[in-house]
Amino acid sequence: MAFKDGNNQEVDERLAALITNSNAIRAVASAVEGTIGPKGLDIMLVDRFGEVTITNDGVTILKQMDVNHPAAKMLINIARAQQEEVGDGTTTATIMAGTLVSEGVNQILKGVPVARVIEGIKYGVKRAQEILESKIIPVKDINDPALKSVALIAGREHEDIAELVTQAAKLIGEEKLKEKNFKLKNTVMARAGAENEVFMGIIIDREKMNKQMPGEINDVRVLLIDDALEAEEIAPEALRTEAGFNRYLQLKEEFRKNLQKLIDLGVNLILVDKNVSDEAEEILTDAGVIVLERVSRTDLEKVSEHTGARIIKRIGLKKPIEDIKNYIGRAERVYEDEKLEQIRIVGGKGKPMATILVGAATEEIVGERERIAKDAASSLQAAVRHGMVPGGGSIEIAISREMEKERDKIKGMASYGIDCVIAALKRPLGQIVYNSGFNPLEKIEEVIYTQAQKDSCSIGINCDNGELADMLELGVLDPALVKLHAIKAAGEVAEAILRIDTIIKKRDEGAPIQKTGQDATGGVGEMDF
């Protein structure tokens, strides 16, 4: 039996799984390749209810695509991992992965053993990362003007967003940005009708429980309760007994005393993870305390870090008043933004924390503005952590030039795997040029020749006019971490896909196993993606 590949050529049915997986990967990559570069276009995603998302963000497109094919899902998972690790570069990683798989399949169809192709790809990816590491431009300090250029490129040339992100980075400081668990993108919020703003403090997306609670408090004492703020409950059957009812009254009185402790300590802002009882709401309102209920654990942790408050459980309120003191955090001011229905906490006495508030004209563009700002924030932070490289696809071309020399060092058929890596490295610039309306083959060759002549790794193409240009002079810079992870992610998914020899559909309960490609010819090719 024979199987047809994407070019309608007949191949051995043993390669059916490989061809099918390659086609799925190619389809996913083609869905995002039109978005890369300054002239990249947007994608419209429509769900079954008619809700529309218009975006240029690679990972958003991949996450919301209706995908069933297992190989396509593997690629999407790699892109998600890239986003989680460094916050940007998913489109580059996807495009490179698509090229690696396609080129690998082409080599296999020519007769190169799969093992040799994979060997060459693994070696090539490792060397590409090493070469890139040698070309990193370190960030001077938090005031390095190149950081705004990084944010501007990642922020799709939105000047206002790049400015906001840069301001926030300076307020937070280099030491905080380099902390492993801190992510600058988590400080970004976008709201319709808001003004662009960066301030030292935190926004909690909750309204105060009661309109009679104060709208503003200075000299804030904060208590964070990771629990419900209500008296302990008694089982309904226990209430039917005299002892149970007395216990109920005892717990209610104890709860009131615990609330009075907080009032006596001067606590005037309480954030609660779960619900707050009507009794607690009334007592605390009368005492002039601002209470927010159902605050997320993430927000509790942010407030804890910013104000120095320690999170306490409900049972902890039984502690002596001197012990509860140690759980209270401090801030200069808390106030309500009635228009945006938010509470702001500023001037915390703990660690400095900035919030980036991105304004949007309408609800329809809020999501995209937030995604753009998060990409810009992630890229700037990645640059602070690990330096920068020339962008616009120029650094990948420079690496591909050096990889040509590496090819000559490899003996045997593994060199064909190196060819796959070289093709993948050329692909980002080729797609950027194509999206800008120019001939990719012509421009890639021009860049390769000029980089060699000038011994430069920063020569690329100005997408406005199609002319050769130095990306460093244009301010086109990318975080080195984004590029390193993109190359790594592309190599991992390519290796995983090329290793798959057969696809077997798992049986339903009681059904026999059916092996696609041999016992069920054509079944693999019919899988959706």
Side-chain angles (χ1 to χ4, degrees):
M1 298 292 291
F3 187 88
K4 291 187 177 182
D5 66 7
N7 299 317
N8 209 34
Q9 295 176 330
E10 289 192 353
V11 297
D12 193 306
E13 67 177 34
R14 290 179 297 108
L15 300 174
L18 191 61
I19 299 298
T20 301
N21 288 339
S22 175
N23 290 342
I25 295 293
R26 188 183 306 160
V28 172
S30 66
V32 298
E33 62 189 13
T35 66
I36 195 171
K39 306 298 181 183
L41 301 177
D42 293 340
I43 297 290
M44 177 184 284
L45 296 150
V46 185
D47 68 16
R48 61 192 179 94
F49 301 108
E51 292 292 325
V52 172
T53 300
I54 298 175
T55 183
N56 187 270
D57 183 52
V59 75
T60 301
I61 296 166
L62 294 173
K63 283 164 67 176
Q64 295 191 21
M65 284 174 64
D66 185 11
V67 173
N68 294 317
H69 195 286
K73 288 181 178 179
M74 287 175 65
L75 180 57
I76 291 171
N77 288 337
I78 287 288
R80 283 176 171 168
Q82 167 90 10
Q83 181 74 11
E84 185 63 28
E85 187 69 27
V86 291
D88 199 12
T90 54
T91 303
T92 299
T94 302
I95 289 172
M96 291 179 68
T99 304
L100 272 177
V101 172
S102 294
E103 291 296 319
V105 170
N106 289 340
Q107 298 292 0
I108 293 164
L109 294 178
K110 291 175 184 176
V112 182
V114 175
R116 299 286 77 78
V117 173
I118 292 173
E119 179 186 341
I121 288 175
K122 288 178 70 175
Y123 176 82
V125 166
K126 182 181 177 183
R127 281 295 296 135
Q129 290 177 288
E130 291 170 351
I131 294 167
L132 192 147
E133 285 274 10
S134 69
K135 299 182 183 298
I136 290 175
I137 304 164
V139 173
K140 296 173 186 176
D141 55 45
I142 198 66
N143 296 308
D144 191 331
L147 287 176
K148 184 176 179 181
S149 297
V150 170
L152 188 63
I153 296 302
R156 302 169 220 169
E157 300 187 332
H158 285 69
E159 181 76 31
D160 63 330
I161 288 177
E163 182 64 35
L164 289 172
V165 170
T166 306
Q167 285 179 28
K170 290 177 181 178
L171 286 173
I172 290 172
E174 187 174 345
E175 182 180 348
K176 183 70 177 176
L177 290 172
K178 287 184 175 179
E179 284 185 13
K180 184 178 180 181
N181 295 324
F182 176 73
K183 292 186 178 180
L184 183 60
K185 71 176 183 179
N186 291 340
T187 68
V188 172
M189 299 181 73
R191 292 293 180 271
E195 297 293 329
N196 286 346
E197 184 182 0
V198 175
F199 67 94
M200 289 301 293
I202 296 171
I203 290 177
I204 306 297
D205 242 350
R206 285 284 182 273
E207 294 182 89
K208 57 188 182 181
M209 281 193 68
N210 192 307
K211 292 294 182 184
Q212 296 179 34
M213 290 175 176
E216 179 178 350
I217 294 174
N218 294 310
D219 188 18
V220 185
R221 289 174 170 80
V222 187
L223 188 70
L224 309 176
I225 301 174
D226 183 20
D227 208 336
L229 186 56
E230 60 187 11
E232 293 180 50
E233 294 181 353
I234 295 287
E237 55 271 19
L239 285 172
R240 299 191 186 101
T241 67
E242 182 179 353
F245 186 71
N246 288 335
R247 177 60 179 160
Y248 166 76
L249 294 176
Q250 181 184 350
L251 289 173
K252 293 280 283 185
E253 181 60 27
E254 186 179 75
F255 180 63
R256 292 189 194 102
K257 289 181 179 178
N258 290 338
L259 292 176
Q260 190 59 47
K261 285 183 199 173
L262 304 184
I263 295 168
D264 292 343
L265 284 167
V267 172
N268 46 23
L269 175 64
I270 300 177
L271 278 63
V272 182
D273 175 58
K274 297 177 183 175
N275 60 292
V276 176
S277 70
D278 292 342
E279 182 181 27
E281 179 187 345
E282 184 175 356
I283 292 172
L284 294 171
T285 299
D286 290 343
V289 179
I290 296 176
V291 182
L292 309 181
E293 66 176 345
R294 301 197 180 282
V295 178
S296 71
R297 177 74 191 193
T298 300
D299 282 342
L300 287 179
E301 289 173 351
K302 280 184 183 179
V303 176
S304 172
E305 190 171 4
H306 185 52
T307 66
R310 293 166 58 194
I311 298 174
I312 192 171
K313 291 286 186 183
R314 174 174 52 181
I315 196 171
L317 301 181
K318 296 180 179 181
K319 294 173 185 267
I321 199 165
E322 288 300 318
D323 290 347
I324 296 175
K325 269 185 183 179
N326 298 323
Y327 287 85
I328 296 173
R330 303 292 293 270
E332 292 177 4
R333 179 176 173 231
V334 58
Y335 65 97
E336 180 184 30
D337 187 324
E338 292 185 2
K339 178 184 176 183
L340 299 178
E341 300 177 345
Q342 300 168 337
I343 295 291
R344 296 190 180 196
I345 304 169
V346 298
K349 303 305 181 183
K351 294 183 179 179
M353 183 75 70
T355 293
I356 303 169
L357 183 60
V358 180
T362 65
E363 289 289 350
E364 286 73 20
I365 63 172
V366 164
E368 185 67 355
R369 291 272 290 172
E370 185 167 33
R371 285 187 287 270
I372 290 169
K374 284 180 179 289
D375 283 350
S378 296
S379 290
L380 184 147
Q381 185 174 12
V384 169
R385 286 177 171 174
H386 207 72
M388 310 164 289
V389 291
S394 61
I395 191 67
E396 289 93 334
I397 294 295
I399 298 170
S400 74
R401 288 174 37 238
E402 296 200 31
M403 291 300 297
E404 293 280 2
K405 303 170 188 174
E406 292 291 327
R407 189 187 190 286
D408 298 332
K409 299 177 184 177
I410 300 297
K411 295 180 180 180
M413 302 185 91
S415 60
Y416 292 104
I418 300 288
D419 289 339
C420 300
V421 177
I422 292 170
L425 289 165
K426 292 179 180 179
R427 185 69 174 134
L429 177 62
Q431 193 63 49
I432 290 169
V433 167
Y434 179 82
N435 290 347
S436 302
F438 304 108
N439 186 318
L441 292 176
E442 175 190 354
K443 297 303 178 184
I444 287 174
E445 290 307 315
E446 284 184 23
V447 170
I448 291 173
Y449 176 80
T450 309
Q451 281 193 3
Q453 286 290 102
K454 295 187 175 183
D455 190 25
S456 169
C457 65
S458 59
I459 301 298
I461 297 295
N462 184 327
C463 292
D464 290 329
N465 55 28
E467 300 295 324
L468 291 164
D470 190 311
M471 296 295 103
L472 295 181
E473 293 177 5
L474 288 181
V476 180
L477 292 156
D478 288 330
L481 270 178
V482 168
K483 297 296 185 183
L484 285 166
H485 279 277
I487 294 170
K488 177 186 176 185
E492 286 177 354
V493 74
E495 180 184 350
I497 294 298
L498 294 176
R499 282 188 181 279
I500 297 171
D501 177 66
T502 305
I503 302 174
I504 298 176
K505 183 178 180 180
K506 291 196 291 187
R507 66 185 177 88
D508 295 329
E509 190 67 31
I513 295 177
Q514 184 181 49
K515 186 176 179 182
T516 59
Q518 294 181 8
D519 298 330
T521 305
V524 182
E526 293 170 2
M527 294 181 75
D528 295 327
F529 57 82

